[in-house]
Amino acid sequence: MTQPVSLIVNQSPVPRFAVGPTKAREPHLAVVYATASGEVVCIDGRPLSPGQQVFSRYRTRYEVDMRPQHRSAVLRNNPLVSRDGVHAFEVTLSFTFRVDGWKGAEDFVRAGLTDPLPLVHGHLISLFHGAGQLFSIEDSFGLQRHLNQLCAAPANLPQGLVVDGCRASVRPDTKALAFLESLIDADWKERRDSAEHLPAVGGAHRGGQLDAIKQSYEIESTKRQADSFAGMLTNSEGLIRHYLVTHPGDAAGAFEMSRQLEAARMATAELQNQRALGLFQVMAEKGLIVAGDLDLLRQQLTGQVGMATGGHVPLSATAPPALPGARPWDAPATAPAQLTAPPQQTPAPMPPQQQPAPGQPQMYEPTLVVPVQSDAAPAPAAFSGAALIYLVLDESLDRGCLDELNRGLASLHSALSGAPGVSAALRLCVLGMAAATELRLPLDTVLPSTRTPILTGRPGLSYAHAFRTLQALLRQDVALVKTQRTQVLRPIVFFLTGGVPDEGIGWRSAYAELVDQGGNSVAPHMIALGLGSAEASTVRVLATRPEFGFMAAPHQDAASAAHSVAAFLRDTIVGYGQRLGAGDPQFTLAAPDGFRSAEDAL
């Protein structure tokens, strides 16, 4: 509250024998007289005349200020608590009070008040008591309207005062005000961000469109570059030529790459030659060489020396020896069961192939027949083309199966690399299949310098990924072999699976694209083999011909079945290479030991 206010501006005794006129009063003052017994009277606010004073019973004269008093106050000691019972409102009051006429002057003097402000303050406190609990701390304007309605009408106090002109101003306390300001700032930020969102989205769309246009141009440029280099070999020499084309000013660098490549080849060939000669020496010292082996060893050793000079064919023209049908870890191989055919029927070629679109590689079908006995036939010339063989092997099998398959791959590598005349017509590629399909041996002729592929156990099994990887490799490999001016037979894929694919039947579309000879000019023949938990119906679908699908017997354990598959792959591939080397492109299949046709297993 403000400083104390005194409405009684003068208090004096009434003189009995005053000489001269009575003291006059100012217009805004009311004169009130009081007797010795406390009786109070105001004679229209006028003072007594001298004659009245002589015989008057009044002993004290009061002069009361009748003017309105304007004051303001802040309710600090009696704050209005909000609805939550914790926060309080800050209320500032502006009000006016005055003496209510002559009667009010009498009542005021009779009340004996020296300062009317506490009286007025108490009246306002009682008037506003509990009003804050009707409103939340956020609704300060609502409380302000309510308080102004409560004090809108003038209030007559019993002490002769009138309180009017009251106006309340309300705001939250400091803590609540900071909270409300944070809410307002958050709302403003949300509205500002919403306003900025639309142009930001438009800018992002426009930027994305520009990026897409740039990317399309980059893809087109990359495609044109790939097409321009499509005729180059993707071997070391081709990569060096590519570098020289793209860096014409660095001929010295390209020459240095070529020199280092030749040096590395010479060092590798020399090392292999030394190993071969050392092996021959050890075998001779231990008496392990007999006269019948000298011819074969001579060809192999001269082949190593020939490769040391950069060649890839043996120096001797002697026909390669026939490979045995069994390996040290394998049981003796039995004669293959030929594919059945109607009696007295000549070799039946595959149905005519679809003509590829212009620019696509021309494929030649291998002759898939059953040999027929003939009394005499002229010796055919050696096949000068290339048969592409792909092995897609399941790496999700257990360790025992993978060990059998790895030993089989090592035996196949040894058989082909030791007989250049057999491997010359073959190109071998090995893929490991799991959740993702990985390349274990790129397509190449198997030579003594070729590394032996090794399968690695991995989780998961995805046919779709294998088929897409295989299709990409086929397009690349066929185009690469065609650049060597070599006739390419339609690829043959040996597909070994030992489980159910993770994608269910989601692989079928990728498989259909792979084997569709109408839409895919490099579509392969698919030979499917199933063991373990593989399904016979799936193996039958995977095989491109009914006689190309084989399932292990139900009682055969997975490791034994993998052993049979390894022997089957070695014997079939080596036998096919021997026939191609002899000029006979016939391709025959015999079921692996312990396997049966997938159709019979259904």
Side-chain angles (χ1 to χ4, degrees):
M1 300 292 288
T2 55
Q3 294 295 325
V5 176
S6 177
L7 297 182
I8 299 178
V9 297
N10 186 31
Q11 178 181 352
S12 60
V14 177
R16 292 292 182 180
F17 302 100
V19 180
T22 303
K23 179 182 177 183
R25 67 176 180 86
E26 296 182 12
H28 62 275
L29 298 177
V31 178
V32 178
Y33 291 93
T35 64
S37 62
E39 181 182 354
V40 177
V41 64
C42 178
I43 309 171
D44 296 333
R46 295 180 291 105
L48 297 175
S49 64
Q52 291 174 328
Q53 292 181 5
V54 172
F55 300 101
S56 174
R57 55 192 180 91
Y58 303 111
R59 295 292 181 262
T60 307
R61 169 180 168 161
Y62 297 91
E63 295 181 0
V64 180
D65 192 346
M66 304 287 288
R67 292 176 297 181
Q69 305 293 322
H70 301 283
R71 293 293 184 271
S72 62
V74 179
L75 303 184
R76 290 194 180 93
N77 296 330
N78 302 97
L80 299 185
V81 180
S82 66
R83 182 182 298 163
D84 60 17
V86 176
H87 298 90
F89 295 98
E90 292 183 358
V91 181
T92 301
L93 299 177
S94 174
F95 56 91
T96 300
F97 66 93
R98 58 184 172 80
V99 176
D100 188 14
W102 315 129
K103 182 67 170 62
E106 290 180 357
D107 293 338
F108 185 78
V109 171
R110 188 178 294 112
L113 297 176
T114 58
D115 183 7
L117 283 180
L119 176 66
V120 175
H121 183 266
H123 165 73
L124 295 176
I125 290 297
S126 63
L127 181 65
F128 298 154
H129 179 72
Q133 299 177 1
L134 303 176
F135 299 88
S136 64
I137 192 64
E138 294 91 348
D139 192 13
S140 59
F141 291 112
L143 176 61
Q144 179 174 297
R145 287 192 300 269
H146 180 64
L147 296 183
N148 288 329
Q149 290 173 357
L150 291 177
C151 65
N156 296 311
L157 303 183
Q159 292 79 6
L161 297 177
V162 176
V163 180
D164 59 2
C166 179
R167 300 294 298 175
S169 176
V170 181
R171 62 182 298 173
D173 61 11
T174 303
K175 187 175 181 180
L177 187 62
F179 170 70
L180 295 176
E181 288 177 349
S182 67
L183 292 182
I184 294 174
D185 292 342
D187 180 65
W188 286 357
K189 182 178 184 301
E190 175 64 22
R191 293 165 61 185
R192 182 176 61 251
D193 292 346
S194 298
E196 295 174 352
H197 175 71
L198 184 60
V201 170
H205 281 300
R206 291 189 292 271
Q209 292 173 353
L210 293 177
D211 292 341
I213 294 173
K214 292 178 182 178
Q215 187 179 31
S216 64
Y217 279 112
E218 291 174 356
I219 292 174
E220 185 64 26
S221 175
T222 303
K223 183 177 181 301
R224 287 196 301 269
Q225 186 179 19
D227 293 340
S228 64
F229 292 114
M232 288 190 175
L233 295 178
T234 55
N235 54 17
S236 301
E237 291 83 355
L239 293 176
I240 293 175
R241 286 198 298 272
H242 187 184
Y243 177 82
L244 185 58
V245 171
T246 55
H247 300 78
D250 192 15
F255 177 78
E256 178 62 20
M257 294 179 191
S258 179
R259 186 191 65 78
Q260 293 178 1
L261 175 62
E262 291 299 326
R265 283 178 173 172
M266 292 294 292
T268 302
E270 180 63 25
L271 178 61
Q272 293 173 346
N273 185 41
Q274 292 176 2
R275 290 176 177 174
L277 293 176
L279 177 61
F280 177 79
Q281 182 178 0
V282 171
M283 294 175 67
E285 291 175 353
K286 295 185 177 295
L288 299 177
I289 300 177
V290 296
D293 295 333
L294 290 176
D295 214 19
L296 174 60
L297 290 174
R298 180 182 62 81
Q299 294 179 42
Q300 293 179 342
L301 292 177
T302 54
Q304 292 288 344
V305 175
M307 284 185 295
T309 64
H312 292 283
V313 296
L315 300 179
S316 173
T318 306
L323 292 177
R327 292 164 289 180
W329 54 273
D330 198 5
T334 58
Q338 305 280 335
L339 294 179
T340 60
Q344 299 180 355
Q345 192 173 29
T346 57
M350 287 290 291
Q353 64 185 26
Q354 298 286 341
Q355 292 297 326
Q360 292 184 338
Q362 174 70 34
M363 301 298 298
Y364 298 89
E365 295 284 353
T367 306
L368 305 174
V369 300
V370 177
V372 192
Q373 296 294 334
S374 176
D375 294 336
F383 178 69
S384 60
L388 310 188
I389 307 296
Y390 290 81
L391 307 183
V392 182
L393 305 178
D394 190 346
E395 290 188 334
S396 67
L397 297 171
D398 58 36
R399 173 55 57 187
C401 294
L402 292 180
D403 290 343
E404 294 291 344
L405 292 175
N406 279 327
R407 283 195 290 269
L409 290 175
S411 179
L412 175 61
H413 178 276
S414 176
L416 293 178
S417 63
V422 174
S423 63
L426 300 176
R427 303 291 187 274
L428 181 65
C429 176
V430 180
L431 298 169
M433 175 177 61
T437 298
E438 298 180 358
L439 190 63
R440 299 306 180 205
L441 178 66
L443 186 74
D444 201 357
T445 303
V446 179
L447 302 172
S449 59
T450 305
R451 62 181 177 84
T452 302
I454 299 177
L455 302 178
T456 304
R458 293 181 294 135
L461 183 60
S462 173
Y463 289 177
H465 193 275
F467 294 145
R468 293 191 183 98
T469 303
L470 188 58
Q471 185 169 5
L473 281 175
L474 286 170
R475 294 182 185 277
Q476 171 185 313
D477 293 344
V478 170
L480 176 61
V481 177
K482 293 290 288 183
T483 60
Q484 303 172 358
R485 302 184 181 278
T486 302
Q487 178 185 0
V488 180
L489 296 178
R490 186 167 297 280
I492 299 174
V493 177
F494 292 87
F495 190 92
L496 171 64
T497 176
V500 178
D502 299 336
E503 63 266 16
I505 61 173
W507 52 269
R508 290 179 179 263
S509 59
Y511 172 78
E513 293 176 6
L514 174 66
V515 300
D516 179 18
Q517 295 189 15
N520 182 14
S521 61
V522 295
H525 295 296
M526 184 77 72
I527 299 169
L529 303 116
L531 56 83
S533 58
E535 297 177 348
S537 58
T538 302
V539 173
R540 173 59 191 89
V541 172
L542 291 174
T544 52
R545 295 178 62 174
E547 58 268 31
F548 286 176
F550 302 101
M551 276 295 298
H555 63 275
Q556 190 174 17
D557 65 275
S560 175
H563 177 92
S564 298
V565 169
F568 164 77
L569 294 176
R570 181 205 61 187
D571 296 339
T572 303
I573 296 172
V574 172
Y576 187 36
Q578 287 174 334
R579 287 190 294 276
L580 290 175
D584 180 11
Q586 295 179 359
F587 180 80
T588 59
L589 277 179
D593 186 23
F595 280 64
R596 56 179 173 169
S597 170
E599 279 199 336
D600 296 340
L602 290 176

